[in-house]
Each structure stands twice: as structure tokens, then as C-alpha cells.
Amino acid sequence: MKILTSERVRLVPLSEVHESEFVRLANIPEINRRVNKPPFYSQAHFSELLSHPQHAKTRLIWMIEQNARVVGAINTAASGRDGRMFQGGYWIDPAFWGQGIASAALLLVKTHLLEERGAERVQALVEPDNGASIRVLEKCGYEREGLLRKFYPSVDRGLIDVFMYASIA
Ligand SMILES: CC(C)(COP(=O)(O)OP(=O)(O)OC[C@H]1O[C@@H](n2cnc3c(N)ncnc32)[C@H](O)[C@@H]1OP(=O)(O)O)[C@@H](O)C(=O)NCCC(=O)NCCS
């Protein structure tokens, strides 16, 4: 897994050194409620994430840095038999919302997956009332494919409706 950079952001592969920042971000209420993390995300959850066999095999997680400061995280995971389809998510510290950071990060990851990892489809699920995330996906060239009803198993609200967005090679 490599560092991805653009003029706006630097994406650094997740490692032990990111524990406190990752845990801090995952517990910010505006992030926690959207990204399906346990209501209290602990250091044990973080260790479990890093040591999970899936982590090395199919998951790619980067911390997003702007001016050498961690401002968010972005992840994706390969699914399907031959790893040509990826699904992911992202979150940004609310103090940095509205500066184009998520869009810059997603564009980097999408390009990396399509051009360097042989992806043929990159997809994302988003709640219909998450206007900012929908805008990020559309700015990055993802297209809405439909509404999946009671599709996503949320941590605390049962099965929820989500839009499927995708970008195809
Ligand atoms: C979604 C999120 C990652 C966006 O991060 P960000 O760095 O602010 O995103 P960007 O600045 O790149 O783009 C946000 C866009 O949404 C727009 N926007 C913000 N709130 C909006 C709303 N309620 N409805 C519609 N558009 C909205 C912004 O104006 C901007 O568009 P513009 O560049 O055309 O002006 C951030 O809000 C977040 O972390 N939310 C909590 C976690 C989350 O929802 N993750 C996604 C799960 S699918």
C-alpha cells in the first residue's frame, strides 16, 4: 500500500501511529452516526481493525493529511472473487468541512483503484439525507444507480435505506 498525494491532500496508509487520531475522529458525533462505528469507538476497536486478517488482505485505509495534519480518513475494500470491485467510505473532521478535502481524497483513491489496482467498479453507499457526501460522490464522477431499501445494517437503527453510487472503468 502506498502514500497517495495531490496538491490538496496526502493519504498515508493507516498504522499504529494513527491510533489516537483515528479513535478521536471515530468518536466525533457527526462522524460516528454516519459511518456505522460503535457508539463508543475504543482503542480496542482500533487494534482489532489493524489486526483483522481482512485488513492486510482486502482492506485499504488511509489517513488524510492536509499541511502535515491529520484531518480525516478514507477506506476501501475489495469485494468479489477477483478483486475488481471496491466499496468504501470517508470522513473528515468537522473543523475542516467544506474545503474540498473529501473530494480530493476520494478522487485520489478512485484513480488509484482504477488505474493501478485493476478495479472495474468502485462503489459507495450513502444515506439519502447525507447531502454533503452525495455531492462528494457526484463531484468525483460517481453515478447514482438506485435506492436500496432496508439494505444497510446500521449499528443502531436496524436496516436503513441507502443510495448506491458507482463509477465504472
Ligand atoms: C461527507 C463529508 C466527508 C464531506 O467532507 P468535505 O471535506 O466537507 O467535502 P468537500 O468539501 O469535498 O465537498 C462537500 C460538498 O458538499 C456540499 N454540501 C455540504 N453540505 C451539503 C448539504 N447538506 N447538501 C448538499 N450539499 C452539501 C458542499 O457545498 C460541497 O460541495 P461544493 O464543493 O460544490 O460546494 C463530511 O461531511 C463528513 O465527514 N461527514 C460525516 C461522515 C460521512 O457522512 N461520511 C460519508 C458516509 S457515506
Side-chain angles (χ1 to χ4, degrees):
M1 220 182 138
K2 66 185 217 180
I3 292 175
L4 306 177
T5 50
S6 71
E7 275 178 26
R8 293 296 311 271
V9 291
R10 184 164 185 264
L11 307 187
V12 182
L14 184 75
S15 72
E16 291 79 2
V17 301
H18 297 119
E19 180 183 86
S20 62
E21 273 303 300
F22 192 93
V23 169
R24 183 185 75 78
L25 288 167
N27 283 311
I28 293 174
E30 295 94 320
I31 292 179
N32 187 281
R33 60 183 274 269
R34 285 292 190 192
V35 299
N36 213 32
K37 294 285 177 222
F40 173 68
Y41 190 85
S42 66
Q43 289 166 341
H45 287 119
F46 181 81
S47 304
E48 205 179 294
L49 174 73
L50 274 191
S51 60
H52 197 286
Q54 286 284 90
H55 183 64
K57 270 196 190 159
T58 56
R59 269 191 212 145
L60 305 170
I61 308 177
W62 290 266
M63 295 308 278
I64 304 170
E65 291 181 359
Q66 182 180 249
N67 303 326
R69 177 174 182 174
V70 171
V71 294
I74 183 161
N75 67 74
T76 189
S79 63
R81 189 166 295 210
D82 54 2
R84 298 204 174 267
M85 182 168 94
F86 286 79
Q87 178 171 314
Y90 37 80
W91 57 93
I92 303 296
D93 185 332
F96 297 90
W97 284 4
Q99 299 180 21
I101 297 173
S103 307
L106 182 62
L107 207 52
L108 267 179
V109 169
K110 178 186 141 176
T111 305
H112 173 66
L113 295 176
L114 294 174
E115 294 182 1
E116 297 179 59
R117 287 190 175 257
E120 291 180 10
R121 175 185 172 87
V122 290
Q123 66 181 38
L125 301 174
V126 59
E127 289 182 75
D129 68 347
N130 194 346
S133 185
I134 288 171
R135 179 83 187 114
V136 167
L137 290 166
E138 291 180 345
K139 281 198 290 182
C140 291
Y142 286 64
E143 288 177 32
R144 184 184 299 178
E145 296 184 329
L147 176 69
L148 305 177
R149 293 176 301 163
K150 289 194 181 293
F151 182 80
Y152 189 75
S154 73
V155 166
D156 54 354
R157 290 170 291 149
L159 295 174
I160 59 174
D161 295 354
V162 285
F163 285 135
M164 170 64 84
Y165 270 82
S167 182
I168 305 297

